[in-house]
Amino acid sequence: MTRVLVTGGDGFVGEHLIAHLLEEGREVTASTLALPPRRDTLTSNQASAVDWKLADVLDPAALFRVLAAVRPEEIYHLAGFSSGARAREEPEAAMRINAGGTVNLLQAVLDARADFPDLDPRVLVMGSGASYGQSAAGAGGLSEDMPLQPQSAYGLSKACQELVAHSYRRSSELRVLVARAFHLIGPGQRTDFVVPSLCEQVAGIAAGRLEPVLQVGNTGVERDFLDVRDGVRAFRIMLELDEPSPAYNVCSGRATPVRQILEWILDEAGVEPAIETDPSRVREGELDRVTGDPAKLVQASGFEPRRDIETTVRETYRWTTGMAP
C-alpha cells in the first residue's frame, strides 16, 4: 500500500484529496495545525482512516519528525495561504507561508533522506493559475510555457513557491512537480471565495435571514472553474506519470462568467433578489477573462473533467444550506 503524506489535510482541497486517495487504496497521513482536525466534507469513517499529525510548515523540526515517522512515497503539499483576499491584507504572511513553508518542507525531505537514504518521495506542490497574472491579458488559454507575471500578492506568493519547487528539483534532484490549479470549487469551500460567498448570501435570503438584496462584485468576469474532485484526481494522476514535466495546469479550459454562476445559484434557491454592486468587492485592474489550457496534462495522461460545473455549483449551494449533495 502506497504511503502518502498530505500537508494541510483538513483544508478544502485537502479533505477532497484525502477522500480520493482513500478510495484509491492509499495509506494516508495528513498534517494539521490542530487536533482533532477540522472536518467539513470528510465522513467520520474517512477521517478516522487517516493518521493525523500536528505539523506547521513554518516549523522545520515538526516536518522532519513527520517525514521520519511516515517515510512517505508520495507527498501532496497543500498547506499554505490560499485566500487572495487575505493575501492582499497580509502579503508578508502569504509569502512566508507559501514560499517559506515550501522551502521548509523540501529541506526537511533532504534532511530526512540523510537518515533514511531510501526516502525518495514524489512531491506535488499545489501552485496556482494566479501566478500567470498579466500573462492572461489579451491571451486565450494560458499554457505552461507562458511567463509567470503575477499581479497580486497571492499570485506573487504562489509564483515564488513554484520557483522554490523548481530550484529544489534542479539542485537536489528531488522529484518535485507543480500543479498550477485554477479556480477549484465545490462543497466545503470557505466563504471568502466567490462561489461559496454567493451561495451563503443567497441561502440567507432564501431563509429570510437577510434582506432580499444581493451584494456582488464584478459578475461580468469569466474564470476557469473546475470541480475540486476533478482537481484532486488530476493531482494523483500527475504523480503517477513516469516522466512528469515540472508543471501542469489543472483546469477545465473553459471560461464561465460569474454572472452565469449566480444565475444557477438563484435558480437552485428559487429566489429573485435585487442585485447591487458592492465597490469593496470589485478588484482594481481585474482581468475580464482568465482561462487555462489543459492540453499538456491531457496529452500526458488523458485526464478529462468528469463533473459538470453547473451541477457542481448547485451541489455547493445545497451543501451551504445543509442539504446533502
Side-chain angles (χ1 to χ4, degrees):
M1 185 179 293
T2 303
R3 298 185 305 278
V4 176
L5 171 64
V6 179
T7 70
D10 59 348
F12 163 59
V13 179
E15 289 196 53
H16 285 287
L17 175 61
I18 286 171
H20 176 68
L21 293 174
L22 291 173
E23 289 176 0
E24 292 294 311
R26 301 295 202 269
E27 180 181 331
V28 180
T29 299
S31 70
T32 178
L33 293 176
L35 292 176
R38 181 180 62 194
R39 183 172 65 84
D40 290 322
T41 55
L42 283 175
T43 67
S44 57
N45 286 340
Q46 288 170 330
S48 63
V50 176
D51 181 14
W52 296 96
K53 303 285 191 184
L54 278 174
D56 188 331
V57 294
L58 297 181
D59 184 348
L63 293 172
F64 179 89
R65 287 193 296 271
V66 171
L67 290 167
V70 178
R71 295 186 227 175
E73 297 161 81
E74 297 176 351
I75 299 174
Y76 295 85
H77 179 39
L78 309 185
F81 214 97
S82 61
S83 168
R86 283 189 59 210
R88 287 195 298 275
E89 299 172 356
E90 304 175 64
E92 186 275 336
M95 185 71 72
R96 176 163 41 88
I97 294 170
N98 288 344
T102 302
V103 170
N104 291 340
L105 174 67
L106 298 181
Q107 190 60 48
V109 172
L110 290 180
D111 293 343
R113 180 185 288 176
D115 290 345
F116 307 100
D118 61 340
L119 180 66
D120 185 27
R122 290 191 171 193
V123 184
L124 181 142
V125 173
M126 184 176 168
S128 173
S131 296
Y132 286 111
Q134 195 59 32
S135 287
L142 291 159
S143 62
E144 291 86 348
D145 58 359
M146 291 181 174
L148 303 183
Q149 301 184 88
Q151 59 181 28
S152 67
Y154 175 72
L156 176 61
S157 72
K158 297 301 281 186
C160 289
Q161 177 187 46
E162 178 165 341
L163 288 174
V164 168
H166 296 325
S167 176
Y168 271 85
R169 177 189 177 106
R170 290 189 301 267
S171 64
S172 305
E173 298 184 352
L174 291 182
R175 296 192 292 170
V176 185
L177 64 147
V178 176
R180 293 178 186 164
F182 282 64
H183 294 269
L184 301 183
I185 62 172
Q189 192 171 31
R190 296 196 317 267
T191 55
D192 47 351
F193 293 85
V194 60
V195 175
S197 173
L198 292 171
C199 287
E200 183 181 55
Q201 282 194 76
V202 172
I205 292 170
R209 297 190 303 271
L210 299 177
E211 294 295 320
V213 180
L214 185 64
Q215 301 292 327
V216 301
N218 183 358
T219 60
V221 298
E222 301 178 23
R223 295 293 182 263
D224 191 323
F225 293 100
L226 181 70
D227 189 295
V228 64
R229 291 158 290 193
D230 281 323
V232 299
R233 182 168 55 86
F235 295 170
R236 191 261 306 164
I237 289 171
M238 288 168 59
L239 275 194
E240 292 179 347
L241 294 173
D242 291 333
E243 296 182 2
S245 291
Y248 292 95
N249 288 338
V250 177
C251 58
S252 70
R254 296 183 295 274
T256 303
V258 173
R259 183 179 295 111
Q260 177 63 77
I261 298 282
L262 177 56
E263 290 175 1
W264 289 331
I265 294 170
L266 293 174
D267 180 71
E268 185 67 28
V271 295
E272 297 182 8
I275 299 176
E276 294 183 354
T277 299
D278 178 358
S280 69
R281 299 172 186 263
V282 178
R283 299 177 187 174
E284 185 177 354
E286 191 170 28
L287 297 172
D288 292 336
R289 189 176 192 273
V290 179
T291 183
D293 181 356
K296 188 176 181 181
L297 181 58
V298 171
Q299 291 168 4
S301 68
F303 169 79
E304 290 185 0
R306 294 174 178 171
R307 295 175 180 267
D308 173 72
I309 287 300
E310 178 180 352
T311 302
T312 300
V313 171
R314 292 177 182 273
E315 286 182 352
T316 302
Y317 176 77
R318 292 197 295 272
W319 190 88
T320 302
T321 62
M323 298 168 61

